[in-house]
Amino acid sequence: MATVSLTGATKEDAATVFGVLRTAFPTDRSADDVPQEQPGDNSAVWSAEFEPTPERIPTDPTSLEGSVSATLQGDYVTVDQLFEALSTAFAVDHWGAASGDQEKEVDLRLTTKR
């Protein structure tokens, strides 16, 4: 299982990214559980957990209104599978990674493929 956290995005773009991942992998969120704006000046962070399986459904390129910062955190295989699905759907800039014995964290910026 891996956690995907999204920041710096509109609620619509966050819903788009989670929709792509939900199509490809099982998640802890139901299909009608979409990101909601919260009152105040704080930046929103949306997160969900995904459990990639070997038989994932391929994703198609998808449009975003702007860019989305994404952090993937979990075991190596799971994070790699999530990264692959996101790379199929979006243009991905790899910002950095941190690795441990059994987990890794990857920071990405997602935009629409041109």
Side-chain angles (χ1 to χ4, degrees):
M1 182 160 301
T3 301
V4 177
S5 300
L6 306 177
T7 59
T10 64
K11 68 178 182 177
E12 292 82 10
D13 280 350
T16 298
V17 173
F18 285 143
V20 164
L21 293 174
R22 182 181 290 113
T23 298
F25 307 111
T27 181
D28 68 333
R29 305 291 176 134
S30 65
D32 60 346
D33 185 5
V34 295
Q36 299 294 316
E37 299 257 343
Q38 298 297 317
D41 294 335
N42 298 328
S43 297
V45 176
W46 292 289
S47 64
E49 292 187 341
F50 294 88
E51 185 68 48
T53 61
E55 296 82 31
R56 74 175 184 87
I57 299 168
T59 55
D60 294 322
T62 305
S63 295
L64 294 170
E65 294 176 13
S67 66
V68 177
S69 296
T71 300
L72 316 179
Q73 183 178 22
D75 68 79
Y76 283 81
V77 171
T78 302
V79 168
D80 289 346
Q81 289 175 319
L82 290 169
F83 179 85
E84 181 184 330
L86 290 171
S87 296
T88 301
F90 307 106
V92 176
D93 290 326
H94 194 266
W95 279 6
S99 301
D101 286 343
Q102 298 178 20
E103 279 195 352
K104 76 175 178 179
E105 182 176 301
V106 178
D107 294 318
L108 311 170
R109 185 171 69 92
L110 310 174
T111 54
T112 300
K113 284 187 173 188
R114 303 277 177 220

